[in-house]
């Protein structure tokens, strides 16, 4: 991770003007209070992360309840190694799932976003609102018939195959929203009109005018979809087995039951979270944009 | 005909998604409602298990176990929503004027959002261990003892009292406050500095500027945050499953009860009924919000 990436001005969140009060050479009581509250908040937020990291590198033999909050007396990589061995196969499956589902729903989202923002048809607003509703539904309300529907797929679609279908489809609403909002502000309608005047059809316009400027939309949609497919557990539990499911399911199996090896369990939590954490730390700005687009407007 | 030529291709490009969303969202919701109306009797004793039709809903809504789950959901949602709104707004207020190392603070406060509920649940299960006292306490209770604050120890969600679910909101607040912060921060920064300057020139105090100029402009952001966090709470499954286990009555909410009905109890009709009621609750909140957003967007155009 690079702190420079995080410190760089963020087009959405960072203030560009100098904050008032800065440079006067005096520290006000308000500023002290503000920093104190911020540092306290950060410390509290990091408590679970501290527990995870510290426990994961402890030697299993030295772990005891009494010293759970202490720094390790003896370092050991055993927890990480054994957790990785347990989780590696499911990590591979999650990677395939998250990449494929993210690519597919982003592509569909780009097509829909283009139409909803620039090539509208009668009733497009209603269809779009109906799509958005699909983003909010509790998936319990479709789960029972969904299980039945996906039961008779060809053998190759077991496990991850099912989840790819499911995440692609239920990702359509948020991806359409991301691209619609992106095209509405980033692509001037005049460009579309000019392409029409030149005799370009809709597909031509989409491929040669819209797609080349779509990269920012794709980054946001891909990150969002990658993260939600990687982190999903509900669909995994209902539609797959621990042996052919994603890493969240494998982690639940590793941590559940009576496993007393906390070094292994907590290392497993970190390993299973690493891909999304890396995405967040490296591409944080785009990640935040995806978060924002979830708020519909 | 010329009209059709103009917008036909657009409809065509969206049609794969219309079919997929139509089948997977609306088709399956319809199928689930159909399932929820089914009638079933015991093979051996002929006893009626699901009376069929609307009586299935009567059966669910009059079941004390379901009342318990609904109460838990209410406690969870109220504490979760209030907590995330409080911390989200507080952090946004602390950061919005710009502070040194703002990016670092912001990144750490948002970090839990990148972790799955399942992964977070594993560590919070340990942190919220109910054991208390010097010899037995682990997790947060042990930390409170070490910090010399034994009075803060709690049985957390395992407490038999009616408000135990408030403890389950703690990890949820930990995960999503940063998200609400980001929403409010973007809201603050969408307001031009000129408005504050003008008010300052007129002699307004900082409090009055927030109260009368900034907060009113943030109400759409607050509404979005409320809806998003609120509907997440109603759907919450992973975190509770991970912390309390797959079969906990104490921490039961409709979303986890649905799993119990479907698998351990092998009662898909009751599960479908429960899921339909859950969908209705979410829809009552979300549909007015979507219609409102749709209308205000039209107004802008």
């Amino acid at each position: 991770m690079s702190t420079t990436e995080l410190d760089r001005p963020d087009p959405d969140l960072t203030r560009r003007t100098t904050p008032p009060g800065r440079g006067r050479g005096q520290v006000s009581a308000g500023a002290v209070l503000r920093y104190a509250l911020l540092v306290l908040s950060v410390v509290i937020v990091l408590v679970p992360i501290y527990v995870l990291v510290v426990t994961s590198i402890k030697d299993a033999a030295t772990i005891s309840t009494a010293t759970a909050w202490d720094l390790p007396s003896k370092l050991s990589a055993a927890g990480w190694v054994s957790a990785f061995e347990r989780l590696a196969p499911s990590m591979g499956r999650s990677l395939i799932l998250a990449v494929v589902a993210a690519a597919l729903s982003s592509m569909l989202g780009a097509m829909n976003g283009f139409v909803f923002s620039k090539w509208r048809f009668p009733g497009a607003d209603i269809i779009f609102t109906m799509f958005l509703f699909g983003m909010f539904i509790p998936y319990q309300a479709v789960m029972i018939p969904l299980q039945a529907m996906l039961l008779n797929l060809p053998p190759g679609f077991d496990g991850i195959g099912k989840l790819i279908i499911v995440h692609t489809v239920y990702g359509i609403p948020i991806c359409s929203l991301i691209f619609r909002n992106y095209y509405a502000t980033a692509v001037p309608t005049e460009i579309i009109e000019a392409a029409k005047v030149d005799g370009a059809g809709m597909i031509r316009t989409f491929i040669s005018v819209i797609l080349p400027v779509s990269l920012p939309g794709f980054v946001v949609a891909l990150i969002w979809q990658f993260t939600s497919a990687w982190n999903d557990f509900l669909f995994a539990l209902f539609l797959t087995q621990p042996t052919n499911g994603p890493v969240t399911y494998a982690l639940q199996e590793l941590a559940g039951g009576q496993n007393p090896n906390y070094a292994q369990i907590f290392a497993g939590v970190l390993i299973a979270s690493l891909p999304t954490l890396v995405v967040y730390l490296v591409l944080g700005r785009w990640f935040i944009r995806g978060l924002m687009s979830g708020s519909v407007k | 005909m010329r009209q059709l030529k103009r917008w036909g291709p657009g409809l065509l490009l969206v049609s794969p998604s219309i079919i997929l969303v139509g089948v997977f969202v609306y088709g399956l919701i319809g199928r689930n409602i159909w399932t929820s109306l089914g009638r079933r009797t015991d093979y051996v004793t002929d006893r009626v298990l699901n009376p069929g039709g609307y009586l299935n809903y009567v059966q669910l809504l009059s079941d004390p176990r379901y009342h318990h789950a609904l109460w838990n959901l209410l406690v969870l949602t109220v504490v979760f929503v209030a907590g995330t709104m409080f911390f989200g707004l507080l952090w946004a207020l602390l950061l919005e004027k710009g502070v040194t190392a703002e990016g670092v603070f912001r990144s750490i406060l948002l970090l839990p959002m990148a972790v799955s509920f399942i992964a977070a649940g594993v560590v919070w299960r340990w942190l919220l261990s109910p054991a208390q006292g010097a010899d037995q306490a682990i997790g947060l209770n042990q930390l409170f003892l070490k910090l010399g604050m034994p009075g803060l120890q709690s049985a957390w969600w395992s407490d038999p009292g009616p408000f135990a679910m408030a403890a389950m909101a703690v990890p949820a607040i930990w995960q999503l406050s940063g998200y609400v912060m980001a929403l409010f921060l973007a809201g603050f920064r969408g307001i031009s500095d000129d408005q504050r300057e003008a008010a300052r020139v007129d002699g307004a105090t900082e409090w009055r500027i927030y109260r009368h100029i900034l907060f009113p402009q943030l109400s759409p952001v607050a509404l979005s945050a409320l809806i998003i966090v609120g509907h997440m709470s109603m759907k919450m499954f992973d975190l509770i499953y991970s912390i309390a286990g797959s079969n906990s009555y104490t921490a039961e909410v409709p979303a986890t009860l649905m799993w119990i009905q479907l698998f351990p109890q092998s009662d898909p009709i009751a599960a479908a009924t429960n899921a339909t009621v859950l969908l209705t609750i979410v829809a009552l909140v979300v549909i007015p919000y979507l219609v409102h957003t749709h209308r205000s967007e039209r107004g802008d155009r």
Side-chain angles (χ1 to χ4, degrees):
Chain A
M1 84 171 204
S2 67
T3 45
T4 50
E5 180 69 34
L6 298 175
D7 287 351
R8 208 181 296 160
D10 182 304
D12 299 319
L13 296 181
T14 306
R15 190 166 206 89
R16 263 143 293 182
T17 51
T18 335
R22 208 186 258 183
R24 279 182 212 157
Q26 56 175 22
V27 184
S28 68
V32 172
L33 181 68
R34 190 181 310 153
Y35 276 103
L37 282 173
L38 278 172
V39 171
L40 182 68
S41 303
V42 161
V43 168
I44 292 175
V45 165
L46 287 177
V47 162
I49 314 278
Y50 167 83
V51 170
L52 285 171
V53 173
V54 164
T55 312
S56 74
I57 52 175
K58 280 182 181 168
D59 188 301
T62 67
I63 292 184
S64 79
T65 357
T67 58
W69 287 94
D70 301 349
L71 287 167
S73 55
K74 197 173 147 204
L75 292 184
S76 162
W80 279 77
V81 172
S82 65
F84 184 75
E85 275 166 6
R86 281 279 298 268
L87 296 180
S90 62
M91 294 272 287
R93 290 193 293 269
S94 270
L95 197 64
I96 296 172
L97 159 68
V99 169
V100 176
L104 290 176
S105 33
S106 298
M107 201 55 224
L108 288 168
M111 288 155 56
N112 300 339
F114 164 61
V115 173
F116 287 135
S117 61
K118 302 290 173 189
W119 210 288
R120 304 153 60 77
F121 53 87
D125 276 344
I126 303 292
I127 300 277
F128 181 64
T129 305
M130 290 185 76
F131 274 24
L132 289 186
F133 181 62
M135 196 163 92
F136 290 99
I137 60 164
Y139 295 121
Q140 280 86 356
V142 294
M143 202 57 90
I144 298 169
L146 182 68
Q147 272 188 320
M149 190 167 83
L150 297 179
L151 211 57
N152 298 316
L153 290 171
F157 277 93
D158 262 2
I160 290 305
K162 281 185 188 176
L163 292 182
I164 288 178
I165 297 175
V166 166
H167 283 290
T168 302
V169 173
Y170 294 113
I172 290 175
I174 180 79
C175 289
S176 306
L177 176 67
I178 290 171
F179 279 101
R180 191 193 79 131
N181 290 354
Y182 173 69
Y183 291 143
T185 52
V187 181
T189 309
E190 291 78 45
I191 297 181
I192 313 280
E193 295 301 328
K196 274 188 196 167
V197 171
D198 289 347
M202 185 199 63
I203 300 290
R204 261 294 287 291
T205 312
F206 179 62
I207 292 174
S208 53
V209 180
I210 299 291
L211 275 187
V213 298
S214 297
L215 188 65
F218 270 102
V219 177
V220 172
L222 285 170
I223 290 178
W224 177 270
Q225 271 306 96
F226 181 90
T227 312
S228 44
W230 185 278
N231 285 346
D232 163 70
F233 176 68
L234 185 69
F235 284 123
L237 180 69
F238 279 83
L239 302 174
T240 65
Q241 308 295 325
T243 45
N244 65 10
V247 69
T248 43
Y249 206 166
L251 177 66
Q252 172 63 27
E253 289 288 306
L254 172 73
Q258 300 299 315
N259 185 355
N261 187 347
Y262 273 99
Q264 185 193 33
I265 293 175
F266 285 179
V269 170
L270 290 169
I271 290 170
S273 308
L274 223 46
T276 47
L277 281 176
V278 167
V279 166
Y280 169 65
L281 290 173
V282 175
L283 299 165
R285 194 195 320 179
W286 307 93
F287 181 90
I288 290 170
R289 275 200 202 162
L291 288 183
M292 298 300 169
S293 60
S295 67
V296 178
K297 86 175 201 27
Chain B
M1 201 57 217
R2 272 183 65 195
Q3 282 287 313
L4 185 72
K5 218 176 160 185
R6 203 156 55 86
W7 53 256
L11 186 58
L12 206 66
L13 200 60
V14 182
S15 54
S17 298
I18 294 182
I19 294 168
L20 287 172
V21 173
V23 170
F24 278 80
V25 175
Y26 295 94
L28 292 184
I29 287 176
R31 190 84 188 84
N32 185 68
I33 294 174
W34 178 251
T35 305
S36 78
L37 299 172
R39 187 186 143 85
R40 198 170 58 110
T41 51
D42 192 284
Y43 285 123
V44 187
T45 61
D46 238 21
R47 192 168 65 89
V48 176
L49 299 171
N50 309 95
Y54 81 95
L55 288 174
N56 287 347
Y57 287 85
V58 174
Q59 191 179 44
L60 179 79
L61 294 174
S62 54
D63 182 355
R65 181 166 186 175
Y66 186 68
H67 295 166
H68 166 73
L70 269 186
W71 170 255
N72 275 346
L73 181 61
L74 183 70
V75 173
L76 173 72
T77 302
V78 168
V79 179
F80 175 38
V81 170
T84 45
M85 295 300 271
F86 174 79
F87 285 106
L89 187 56
L90 174 72
W91 293 344
L93 282 170
L94 292 174
L95 289 174
E96 65 100 14
K97 282 184 181 169
V99 296
T100 314
E102 182 198 315
V104 176
F105 284 122
R106 211 175 53 212
S107 302
I108 295 176
L109 295 175
L110 249 174
L111 188 75
M113 187 68 198
V115 180
S116 67
F117 279 123
I118 279 292
V122 173
V123 64
W124 278 99
R125 184 196 312 165
W126 183 80
L127 286 170
L128 299 182
S129 303
Q132 297 179 32
D135 320 323
Q136 302 191 352
I138 54 172
L140 285 184
N141 286 346
Q142 189 186 9
L143 181 67
F144 291 150
L145 284 177
K146 278 183 184 284
L147 295 175
M149 299 182 284
L152 287 179
Q153 290 185 99
S154 160
W156 304 110
W157 61 271
S158 317
D159 190 275
F163 298 103
M165 271 314 259
M168 198 59 89
V170 173
I173 294 168
W174 175 77
Q175 281 212 281
L176 283 154
S177 292
Y179 176 57
V180 177
M181 170 199 75
L183 288 175
F184 275 121
L185 210 45
F188 274 120
R189 285 174 182 177
I191 302 171
S192 76
D193 284 342
D194 305 351
Q195 297 185 31
R196 290 180 201 231
E197 280 310 316
R200 277 198 198 105
V201 171
D202 289 346
T205 59
E206 282 297 302
W207 163 245
R208 288 185 74 88
I209 292 174
Y210 277 109
R211 173 74 185 76
H212 294 290
I213 296 174
L214 302 181
F215 285 155
Q217 297 188 55
L218 288 181
S219 53
V221 178
L223 180 67
S224 295
L226 214 58
I227 299 285
I228 291 169
V229 175
H231 103 282
M232 287 185 89
S233 173
M234 292 171 204
K235 302 202 291 200
M236 188 160 299
F237 175 85
D238 305 9
L239 192 67
I240 299 169
Y241 188 98
S242 177
I243 291 178
S246 58
N247 220 338
S248 164
Y249 173 78
T250 324
E252 192 162 271
V253 293
T256 55
L257 175 62
M258 185 264 180
W259 186 87
I260 290 170
Q261 289 166 321
L262 188 60
F263 292 113
Q265 298 182 351
S266 309
D267 188 349
I269 296 176
T273 308
N274 178 3
T276 306
V277 176
L278 186 62
L279 175 71
T280 310
I281 298 172
V282 173
L284 285 176
V285 177
V286 167
I287 289 179
Y289 171 67
L290 287 177
V291 170
H292 168 79
T293 313
H294 178 79
R295 284 222 186 104
S296 55
E297 245 183 41
R298 270 198 162 163
D300 290 346
R301 217 177 280 139

